[in-house]
Structures are given as C-alpha cells and as structure tokens.
Amino acid sequence: DLVDQLSTKRPEFNYDESKVPNYRLPNPLVLHSGNPVIDAATWNSTRRPELLELFRKHVYGRRPETEYSIAFDVESESTVLDGAAVGRTMKATVSIGPSSFQFPFVVFLPTESDDPAPAFVFINNRTFPAVAEVTENYDSFYPVKDLIQRGYATASFFTSDVDPDRADGYADGIRVFFADGQPPTDDAWRSLSAWGFAASRVLDYLERIPQVDSSHVTVVGHSRGGKASLWAAAEDRRFSVAVSNQSGCGGAALSRRGYGETVGRITEVFPHWFCPRFATYAADVNGLPVDQHELISLIAPRGVYVTSADEDLWADPRGEYLSLVHAAPVFRLLGKTSIGNDFIDDPDLLQYASPPPLDQPQIVGQTGYHIGGGPHGLTHVDWRRIIDFVDGLPK
Ligand code: GTR
C-alpha cells in the first residue's frame, strides 16, 4: 500500500535539511537570450513558451500534434445525494480518422442553484470513481458530497483508464493510440502528461454543458496525480486553479534540493512518468535547465494551492513550499501577489523562507499552502482547505 511505503523512511535518501546541497535555481525571468523579462507581454509572448518547451523537452515530454476530435456520451444518469446532485457516468471518445480511444469519467452537478457552478476536475490515481460508490460511501479521497454541498460541480477519471500506470502500460493507453501503434519517441509525452491531457478533455465536456461555469475550473490531484495536475494547468490555461496535494518530486518539490525522493529514484521506479531525458539529470540535477518553481510560474497568474504532510518527508514539504516562494517574481510581474512576495525585494532573507506551522494554511493572493499532520494521503481536511482556498480567490 502506498501509504505504508511512503511513511517509512528510505535510509539511502536524504532527510536531513543540513545536508541539502547548495544550489542555484534557474531564473524564470531570464530569457534564453540572457535578457531579463521586464514586462508581462514578454513573459506571455516569449518566456512562458520557452519554459513550456523546456519542460516538454526535459521533463514531461511533448504532446502529439495530431488532429483529433472528441465526443462525449452520457452512459447513465441518476439523482444522488438525496437530490442534491445529478451524477453521470460518461464516456469520452477521442477519434483520429476511423480509429478511436475511449475512457470513462464521472460528473456530478449540483441541483441546488440554477446558476452555472464552478467545478473541480479530480485526477484520481487510485480507482475509477463510480457514481454509486462515491455518493453512497463517503470517500475522503474524493469527497463528492462536500464539493456538492459547497456549491461545486465535479468530474473525475481514473489515471490508468487513460494511460495505465505501469512501466509496461504503454501498449494499452492513449499514447500508443496517438502514436498509431509505434513506440514512443524520446521526446514524446509520458503518463503524467497523458493524465493531464485527459483532465483537459474532461474540461472540454464541462465547457459544453450549461450547468458548469467553465471559466472557474480547478484541477486537483494527489501525489502522482498532483504532478499531473500542475502540468495539466501549465499546458492548458483554461484551468483557473491548480492544486497539488503532496506531489513531491517531479511535482511541486524543487528537484535540486535532493531531499527525499530524487530524480534518479523516481525515473528508475516510474520510467513511464517522464521522458527519458529527465533521467539523464539523475547524477547532475544542477544541469537541469528548469526546476519546479518554474512549473508553478507557468500557472501564474492563476491560482495555485500546494499541500504537504509532516510525515511525508519523501515528498519534501519544504521543497514544495519553496517552489511557490521562488515563483513569486513571476506572479508579481503579472500583477499579482503570492507566497514569497515579501522576499522579492529582500532576497537575502530567502534563506529563512519556511513553511507555516502545522495545520495553519498560508494564503497570499493567488497562492496558498498548508502542511497537515500525518502520513502521505489526501484527506477531507486537505479538501476542506483546498475548497476554502478556491472559495477565497477573487472571482
Ligand atoms: C510514490 C512516488 C511518489 C508519489 C507516490 C504516489 O511511490 O515515489 O513520487 O507519486 O508514489 O503517487 O502516491
């Protein structure tokens, strides 16, 4: 079980803050040409596309450019939660010419109000979230009831239904479909990006139905789902907020810290998550042309919420927090405040930047963070704070 695996410290990895090496992060606000990015227009036209390309090339791989069409079928529909919502079991069909790839998802629409509802798309890395199961048995991993009660619509799919979460899962997933049966090229997208792509297709559906306010859709994921969620929002600016719950290495945590899970370990154990070039930085993490604060920067000026758990050192809570801090200059350039704002004018103080105390969410403008007590996991407490954060963002 994941929780057991992750609560156990792995002795061969570093969990000692004093042993984090000195590192220098790449500056998100310096262009490839070496010139500084001094205005939002240059960020949007040049620097942001440069950074996206760097992440595609060195970390998550590049999505296919093949034209496809997308269709949605309602497989079944029922009233759930004592009439508070309508639940739909859906099928998405992605077609290229005569061939198609399908994946299921679920949607829950609140019935209380006639106004279009903001929504959460949840990348579920544990199970297919069947309508009856998530409404009859309260599931803190995906608490549909809480989301509905707070006025949100929500949709979710199971990662492995899109791209099987196994090193040899390629043959059965959406990537081989797009590659027309060929093996993946070195630059091609890997599973994290495929899951993010599916989140975008679910958003396509939400855009088509009047019950959802598709300009306020948050993408959420836990752990590997959190890595996928951040990348989903980087690739697709229609998501208004991204939430990473304990995403750690390859997600919110700075790779250069080498605290807990490392680039070497993650690419060895999960070779299907990242493009192979990412693994080549295992022995030279400082050679990576990006670090994960720049993934957060790609989501700016939209909302970003990052969570950690105090026993989940594998995910490097401090490194997850620092990614937000080091993205602050980008939020500021785009006219927003965010966690780390205070350090921009006083970089000497950066060394003292640390996560807030346990169970005390910190929210500054567009970004928020909390560290909860306990092991690696997504709980109803995390969800409550996530919803609070999204509720509090300016509409
Ligand atoms: C672990 C992996 C982490 C995290 C986690 C999860 O085994 O090392 O990066 O993604 O799985 O998804 O729960």
Side-chain angles (χ1 to χ4, degrees), residues 2-3 5-6 10 125-126 165 192 222-227 246-250 261 265-266 269-270 273-274 314-315 376:
L2 280 176
V3 173
Q5 285 173 32
L6 292 164
R10 298 184 169 92
N125 55 297
R126 293 226 170 133
D165 192 1
L192 294 172
H222 165 65
S223 206
R224 64 198 72 191
K227 307 179 212 288
Q246 302 157 25
S247 62
C249 184
E261 189 169 29
R265 167 62 157 62
I266 201 168
V269 180
F270 306 102
W273 288 359
F274 303 94
W314 186 238
H376 186 68

Side-chain angles (χ1 to χ4, degrees), residues 159 187 222 328 340 382:
T159 47
D187 265 10
H222 165 65
D382 295 313

Side-chain angles (χ1 to χ4, degrees), residues 3 15 18 20 22-23 106 173 178 190 212 231 250 276 289 318 378:
V3 173
Y15 298 94
S18 72
V20 170
N22 284 325
Y23 57 87
V106 292
F178 268 97
R190 293 300 191 275
V212 170
W231 181 239
R318 187 179 163 81
L378 173 56

Side-chain angles (χ1 to χ4, degrees), residues 8-28:
T8 319
K9 281 195 183 178
R10 298 184 169 92
E12 65 277 34
F13 293 90
N14 179 40
Y15 298 94
D16 179 349
E17 194 57 42
S18 72
K19 296 203 175 110
V20 170
N22 284 325
Y23 57 87
R24 234 184 111 134
L25 293 174
N27 187 338

Side-chain angles (χ1 to χ4, degrees), residues 155-383:
S156 183
F157 63 92
F158 178 39
T159 47
S160 282
D161 285 337
V162 175
D163 208 52
D165 192 1
R166 311 186 306 263
D168 65 352
Y170 181 73
D172 301 316
I174 196 169
R175 292 183 295 128
V176 73
F177 164 72
F178 268 97
D180 199 16
Q182 299 302 304
T185 60
D186 276 359
D187 265 10
W189 56 338
R190 293 300 191 275
S191 296
L192 294 172
S193 186
W195 302 334
F197 177 86
S200 287
R201 304 295 64 81
V202 170
L203 174 53
D204 293 343
Y205 176 67
L206 300 181
E207 283 187 334
R208 292 181 188 189
I209 57 172
Q211 296 91 333
V212 170
D213 168 7
S214 58
S215 62
H216 290 101
V217 178
T218 299
V219 57
V220 190
H222 165 65
S223 206
R224 64 198 72 191
K227 307 179 212 288
S229 158
L230 293 174
W231 181 239
E235 283 273 21
D236 189 342
R237 285 162 120 168
R238 294 175 302 164
F239 287 112
S240 58
V241 185
V243 179
S244 143
N245 195 70
Q246 302 157 25
S247 62
C249 184
L254 293 173
S255 301
R256 279 167 173 72
R257 282 172 45 83
Y259 186 107
E261 189 169 29
T262 59
V263 172
R265 167 62 157 62
I266 201 168
T267 52
E268 191 186 310
V269 180
F270 306 102
H272 56 298
W273 288 359
F274 303 94
C275 65
R277 196 173 278 108
F278 192 49
T280 66
Y281 296 102
D284 173 28
V285 82
N286 291 302
L288 256 173
V290 289
D291 210 322
Q292 299 305 105
H293 63 305
E294 293 174 306
L295 177 60
I296 307 287
S297 302
L298 284 169
I299 307 169
R302 294 167 288 155
V304 183
Y305 195 68
V306 170
T307 79
S308 306
D310 69 339
E311 290 171 33
D312 183 17
L313 298 179
W314 186 238
D316 185 11
R318 187 179 163 81
E320 295 184 301
Y321 180 76
L322 289 177
S323 274
L324 290 172
V325 169
H326 289 284
V330 177
F331 282 90
R332 178 183 284 185
L333 182 82
L334 301 175
K336 303 286 184 185
T337 56
S338 67
I339 286 175
N341 204 58
D342 294 349
F343 299 107
I344 300 176
D345 301 318
D346 229 334
D348 289 348
L349 294 181
L350 262 177
Q351 55 183 313
Y352 305 110
S354 352
L358 206 61
D359 291 321
Q360 290 183 33
Q362 182 179 70
I363 295 174
V364 181
Q366 292 298 100
T367 69
Y369 173 92
H370 78 243
I371 177 162
H376 186 68
L378 173 56
T379 67
H380 72 281
V381 178
D382 295 313
W383 274 106

